[in-house]
């Protein structure tokens, strides 16, 4: 069994300040973890993924995430928010054992103030 | 230029009608998925297919049907049995294992009049 919890439904930051979107997961098998971004009325786009290589993963648009097995976390960060980062973000887990079908978190809405 | 397409972008349906949403991919992916998205509820899995001529129900399959006659195509029919079909529908594809990401189409917004 696997599950994902995104700890904040909304995160509000000012432009130029750091971004932290929190994600905890559970999985009975070695997980693969993903962050996707969705702008209004659009499809989802992959930001980054972890698949058991380096625990610090760098993605597009300056985002990165760190896999912490002991904390079962995969938080998404960015040093400096830009107005264009305002969107919905989804954390996703997929496991190599059993069904690989991904499980989505409920999403975090990132609001960026000028 | 590889990708995944959905049509139409907007669709309006009268109550009691069936409608079919198109999803096509040219990424040579084995697995395809349909999700429903409602405000504040994230993505919910309707159906998925791991191989041609085979598909499985997801978490909210009631009132929906699919087919997978070709690797490239995975159409979704929203039947009149679906009581609340107004939503944003997303199609995705992947290589069909745990460590490869999904590629998403641009979505179809269905509105029941």
């Amino acid at each position: 069994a696997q599950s994902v919890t995104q700890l904040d439904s909304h995160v509000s930051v000012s432009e130029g300040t750091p971004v932290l979107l929190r994600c905890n997961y559970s999985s009975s098998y070695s997980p693969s973890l993903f962050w996707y971004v969705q702008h209004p009325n659009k499809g989802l786009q992959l930001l980054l993924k972890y698949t058991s290589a380096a625990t610090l993963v760098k993605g597009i648009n300056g985002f990165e995430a760190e896999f912490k097995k002991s904390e079962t976390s995969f938080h998404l960060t960015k040093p400096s928010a830009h107005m264009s980062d305002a969107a919905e973000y989804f954390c996703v887990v997929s496991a190599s054992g059993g069904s690989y079908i991904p499980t989505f978190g409920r999403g975090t809405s990132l609001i960026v103030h000028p | 230029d590889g990708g995944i397409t959905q049509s139409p972008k907007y669709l309006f349906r009268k109550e009691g009608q069936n409608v079919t949403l198109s999803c096509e991919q040219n990424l040579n992916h084995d697995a395809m998925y349909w999700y429903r998205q409602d405000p504040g509820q994230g993505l919910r899995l309707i159906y998925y297919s791991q191989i041609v001529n085979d598909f499985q129900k997801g978490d909210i399959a009631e009132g929906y049907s699919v087919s997978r006659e070709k690797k490239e195509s995975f159409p979704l029919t929203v039947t009149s049995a679906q009581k609340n079909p107004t939503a944003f529908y997303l199609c995705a594809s992947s290589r069909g294992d745990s460590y490869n990401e999904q590629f998403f189409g641009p979505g179809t917004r269905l509105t029941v009049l």
Side-chain angles (χ1 to χ4, degrees), chain A residues 23-27 29-35 48-58 64-77 91-94:
Chain A
C23 173
N24 287 352
Y25 71 92
S26 70
S27 176
Y29 303 94
S30 295
S32 295
L33 292 155
F34 308 83
W35 276 100
L48 48 80
K49 67 179 181 181
Y50 165 78
T51 56
S52 76
T55 57
L56 182 62
V57 182
K58 294 188 184 297
E64 63 181 39
E66 186 171 9
F67 173 70
K68 292 187 176 180
K69 186 175 180 179
S70 60
E71 299 177 10
T72 61
S73 70
F74 190 58
H75 301 334
L76 182 70
T77 61
C91 183
V92 179
V93 64
S94 179

Side-chain angles (χ1 to χ4, degrees), chain B residues 17-103:
Chain B
Q17 282 183 335
N18 293 354
V19 290
T20 296
L21 283 59
S22 169
C23 178
E24 303 276 334
Q25 55 99 359
N26 61 2
L27 299 166
N28 199 33
H29 285 166
D30 289 316
M32 297 187 75
Y33 315 77
W34 274 106
Y35 294 93
R36 170 179 171 142
Q37 187 174 29
D38 296 283
Q41 293 200 39
L43 274 67
R44 292 185 290 169
L45 183 63
I46 304 172
Y47 269 98
Y48 64 98
S49 168
Q50 296 170 278
I51 196 169
V52 175
N53 292 324
D54 189 42
F55 48 82
Q56 285 77 40
K57 293 181 179 180
D59 301 318
I60 56 164
E62 185 175 353
Y64 300 96
S65 66
V66 294
S67 63
R68 186 87 186 274
E69 298 176 0
K70 299 187 299 181
K71 189 175 186 177
E72 302 80 16
S73 179
F74 192 42
L76 173 75
T77 297
V78 184
T79 75
S80 56
Q82 170 49 238
K83 297 306 178 189
N84 186 22
T86 294
F88 190 53
Y89 291 86
L90 286 161
C91 181
S93 70
S94 75
R95 288 201 175 94
D97 49 48
S98 64
Y99 43 85
N100 280 294
E101 66 271 25
Q102 293 172 298
F103 290 75

Side-chain angles (χ1 to χ4, degrees), chain A residues 6-70:
Chain A
Q6 292 185 240
L7 297 166
D8 305 291
S9 59
H10 297 85
V11 169
S12 183
V13 301
S14 297
E15 190 174 22
T17 64
V19 175
L20 170 63
L21 305 183
R22 299 182 295 165
C23 173
N24 287 352
Y25 71 92
S26 70
S27 176
S28 302
Y29 303 94
S30 295
S32 295
L33 292 155
F34 308 83
W35 276 100
Y36 291 87
V37 61
Q38 183 185 32
H39 291 277
N41 297 310
K42 302 289 187 185
L44 278 68
Q45 179 186 15
L46 180 71
L47 278 178
L48 48 80
K49 67 179 181 181
Y50 165 78
T51 56
S52 76
T55 57
L56 182 62
V57 182
K58 294 188 184 297
I60 62 172
N61 300 336
F63 284 94
E64 63 181 39
E66 186 171 9
F67 173 70
K68 292 187 176 180
K69 186 175 180 179
S70 60

